[in-house]
Amino acid sequence: GTSAACGIPIAVVGSLTNMLVGAGEASLPPWSVGYVYLPALLGVSLASIVFAQIGAKVAHRLSADWLRRLFAFTLIAVGLRFLLFS
């Protein structure tokens, strides 16, 4: 919960910065505000709302040990992807 609460202001500031920095850029597609593509913003926002609720339900059903293992596996998978495909 704390991580999500801290992520909101970071996301807002990042989005506003990308809107301001990209303002007036001629090569951007329609429906863009600076470097923020509004259809993608809408899609990511809607998916986050739906899957955050699903994730919270799953997290409450799993034990702390399983959550730690799944998180460790996720970190290992992301780390390997960075090492092998970057």
Side-chain angles (χ1 to χ4, degrees), residues 10-38:
I10 292 169
V12 169
V13 171
S15 296
L16 291 174
T17 300
N18 280 301
M19 288 176 178
L20 292 173
V21 170
E25 182 74 30
S27 63
L28 297 174
W31 296 93
S32 293
V33 177
Y35 294 123
V36 176
Y37 185 54
L38 296 178

Side-chain angles (χ1 to χ4, degrees), residues 20-85:
L20 292 173
V21 170
E25 182 74 30
S27 63
L28 297 174
W31 296 93
S32 293
V33 177
Y35 294 123
V36 176
Y37 185 54
L38 296 178
L41 175 67
L42 179 65
V44 169
S45 298
L46 292 175
S48 295
I49 291 168
V50 171
F51 286 102
Q53 294 171 354
I54 293 170
K57 288 179 185 178
V58 170
H60 286 294
R61 290 185 181 174
L62 293 176
S63 69
D65 286 337
W66 268 105
L67 286 173
R68 278 192 215 101
R69 289 181 188 138
L70 288 171
F71 186 63
F73 174 76
T74 302
L75 289 178
I76 291 168
V78 170
L80 287 173
R81 186 186 182 286
F82 277 124
L83 286 173
L84 299 174
F85 299 107

